[in-house]
Amino acid sequence: MSPLELDFDSCYRAVSARDSRFDGRFYTAVTTTRIYCRPICPARTPSSRNVRFYRHAASAEAAGFRPCKRCRPELSPGDPGWDVRGDLVGRALRLIDDGAADEQGVAGLAKRLHITERHLHRLFVAELGVGPLAVARTKRLLLAKQLLTETGLPVTEVAFAAGFGSVRQFNATMRETYGFTPSELRATAGRRAPEPGADDEAGPVTLRLRLHRREPYDVDGVFAFLASRAIPGLEVADRTSYARAVPGGTITLTPKPDHIALDVAVDDTRQLARVVARCRRLLDLDADPEAISEILGQTSLGPLVAARPGLRVPGTFDGFELAVRAVVGQQISVAGARTLLGRIVARAAAPGGLFPTPARLLESDLTGLGLTNRRIDTLKDLAARLAEGHLDLDGGQDPAEAVAGLLEVRGIGPWTAGYIALRALRDPDAWPTGDLVLDKRMAALGIPQDHIERWRPWRAYAALHLWSSS
């Protein structure tokens, strides 16, 4: 089944088999119950004459269906077809996940993509059958549904955390779309409302959410990768957990048998949607291991793929942070880069212990940290381009254009740009040209250099397989 087209017979077979490989790829709507489900829903498979299939949850909701309380569509892993697309719709969907539409509206979303609001709407309707406003609303509702079901967060906080402007709007939208109020959903979920005054205490709001992943998932590989690169003063990580400072608080990610537990402590719950989206990208939870293995497993990487079928490409929580990591890490060891990055954080950290923003790095004195003058110039040039809006490393810019812009920065060459594309831009075909470790591993395994082209469109995952094999 094509990632962008729905074949009724293929979808129905997947639903009948409760095939987890299709979870998140489409949604099954039942005309007799007016409910839509994930392909893995444990309920009895409906008759084919009563079924409709939709590419996105927003499309199902726009057609008048409400989410199943049993299989909980809000827990679906993201669609890998959209996750790897660098076109306008794919980038717009990632920005909506990141909360861009909630903060800036659809007009602001279109502006960030450098197109008109009308053109963006036209693209969404052609691809999904609904506009970006409907997609953003569904995203808010599903996040609210998860918060109501899994946490004791007061309804007022849930409304703002999910991106609604008021509790009245939240109640009205949920009743209109789902047919029940937030309080009614919480009662049926068996979640007890907090005691009166429980939300009046000073301090950050703390809660735990489940982040579902697509299996197989190489937990050890992902967490070991992050642990070896954890920046002192910003991150604390080992093979069993990953914690870091985020705007307004902290997060901790802990692997569980069938999901990742996200523990959040934030002063402003309106940041929650962005935190969830960036954690998913950091851990590469929405990748399609079957599609990756199908291509790479038939090449000279076959033995490595068979040994680690669920390997992922760890992303980043912030694009600028990753770009600085890449520049600092040029031609030095991972341990050496960690030391220098820790010094940068100690010298220039933003309030709350956060990694410095581009504007803050521009203002900071980076001399005396062990960085060469040329490396400092590169960091300053990079920061200036992001601060002025010439570069966008968090999803708004076409990956090819972003790479071209990176190559214009003094001191950034193909390896650095490729590494940034691989982790920050989420380009599944990015390749860090000239990486000495990759060259050595390929030579040790007897893999000719011309095999790199055979690994398209998954060269980023090929690079991780080679790095992980050393």
Side-chain angles (χ1 to χ4, degrees):
M1 182 172 61
S2 165
L4 299 180
E5 299 177 359
L6 294 182
D7 174 77
F8 187 94
D9 292 337
S10 297
C11 289
Y12 193 74
R13 283 195 299 271
V15 170
S16 300
R18 296 179 177 81
D19 193 332
S20 61
R21 295 174 300 172
F22 293 89
D23 192 13
R25 292 180 181 273
F26 66 86
Y27 296 88
T28 307
V30 184
T31 58
T32 52
T33 62
R34 306 306 297 174
I35 289 174
Y36 73 92
C37 304
R38 299 159 68 182
I40 62 170
C41 186
R44 182 170 62 88
T45 304
S47 170
S48 60
R49 66 175 179 273
N50 297 326
V51 166
R52 304 288 184 272
F53 296 112
Y54 293 95
R55 284 281 289 124
H56 198 280
S59 306
E61 292 189 5
F65 296 92
R66 63 184 186 275
C68 176
K69 294 181 181 178
R70 191 170 180 182
C71 68
R72 301 181 59 197
E74 69 270 18
L75 298 183
S76 294
D79 185 340
W82 295 116
D83 185 55
V84 300
R85 285 180 57 171
D87 62 5
L88 283 166
V89 175
R91 280 152 40 215
L93 284 170
R94 287 193 286 279
L95 290 175
I96 289 173
D97 286 346
D98 206 42
D102 296 331
E103 293 181 357
Q104 306 161 16
V106 175
L109 175 65
K111 183 178 180 180
R112 187 164 172 189
L113 294 166
H114 303 289
I115 59 174
T116 66
E117 187 175 351
R118 177 177 295 183
H119 184 48
L120 181 63
H121 182 82
R122 185 164 54 245
L123 290 172
F124 265 67
V125 171
E127 293 274 11
L128 298 172
V130 293
L133 187 62
V135 172
R137 186 180 77 159
T138 293
K139 190 72 181 177
R140 289 195 294 269
L141 284 169
L142 291 177
L143 176 58
K145 186 172 180 290
Q146 184 176 8
L147 291 170
L148 290 167
T149 304
E150 296 184 5
T151 77
L153 200 63
V155 171
T156 300
E157 288 287 346
V158 170
F160 294 122
F164 289 92
S166 69
V167 178
R168 177 178 294 181
Q169 180 194 41
F170 176 40
N171 283 323
T173 303
M174 183 159 276
R175 181 182 287 280
E176 175 189 355
T177 307
Y178 292 168
F180 46 74
T181 66
S183 298
E184 289 169 344
L185 173 61
R186 173 158 277 167
T188 58
R191 174 68 59 177
R192 186 169 64 88
E195 297 294 331
D199 57 327
D200 296 333
E201 299 178 7
V205 174
T206 59
L207 52 88
R208 167 172 284 197
L209 290 174
R210 288 188 291 168
L211 305 182
H212 281 244
R213 65 204 189 207
R214 202 176 301 279
E215 300 289 353
Y217 186 83
D218 182 16
V219 167
D220 289 342
V222 170
F223 279 79
F225 185 95
L226 295 175
S228 66
R229 292 161 176 79
I231 300 176
L234 178 72
E235 303 166 296
V236 178
D238 57 29
R239 290 177 179 268
T240 62
S241 69
Y242 170 87
R244 67 170 289 142
V246 299
T250 61
I251 61 166
T252 301
L253 294 160
T254 309
K256 301 296 180 181
D258 63 347
H259 68 279
I260 304 293
L262 166 61
D263 290 293
V264 185
V266 289
D267 296 324
D268 185 356
T269 55
R270 288 174 295 183
Q271 297 295 322
L272 195 56
R274 173 169 294 157
V275 166
V276 170
R278 296 197 176 196
C279 285
R280 295 198 67 85
R281 291 200 288 271
L282 173 69
L283 300 182
D284 199 14
L285 297 180
D286 299 327
D288 186 350
E290 181 187 20
I292 297 166
S293 296
E294 183 178 354
I295 298 297
L296 297 184
Q298 298 179 27
T299 70
S300 48
L301 292 177
L304 301 183
V305 174
R308 305 183 75 169
L311 178 139
R312 295 295 203 271
V313 174
T316 183
F317 199 85
D318 177 80
F320 175 63
E321 175 188 312
L322 193 283
V324 172
R325 288 175 184 261
V327 171
V328 171
Q330 292 171 349
Q331 299 178 334
I332 63 174
S333 68
V334 171
R338 282 186 64 191
T339 299
L340 293 177
L341 289 162
R343 292 173 184 170
I344 291 174
V345 169
R347 172 78 59 86
L354 298 176
F355 195 86
T357 62
R360 192 173 184 89
L361 196 70
L362 269 175
E363 299 170 351
S364 300
D365 178 9
L366 301 181
T367 59
L369 300 180
L371 297 165
T372 64
N373 290 335
R374 182 177 180 181
R375 196 66 45 85
I376 292 174
D377 290 342
T378 299
L379 291 174
K380 296 285 188 176
D381 189 7
L382 174 67
R385 291 170 188 262
L386 270 88
E388 294 165 4
H390 299 310
L391 275 174
D392 185 338
L393 303 180
D394 286 318
Q397 192 170 16
D398 176 87
E401 292 179 2
V403 167
L406 286 167
L407 291 173
E408 293 177 358
V409 178
R410 298 186 303 273
I412 289 185
W415 178 89
T416 307
Y419 187 79
I420 295 170
L422 184 147
R423 294 190 60 195
L425 304 180
R426 310 298 302 137
D427 181 357
D429 200 38
W431 180 262
T433 302
D435 187 283
L436 296 179
V437 175
L438 293 179
D439 290 344
K440 289 180 180 178
R441 288 306 302 154
M442 289 176 64
L445 295 170
I447 300 175
Q449 285 289 320
D450 62 6
H451 281 212
I452 295 173
E453 289 300 309
R454 303 181 186 183
W455 300 332
R456 292 184 181 273
W458 304 111
R459 293 189 301 171
Y461 293 87
L464 259 292
H465 274 296
L466 290 166
W467 278 330
S468 302
S469 68
S470 58

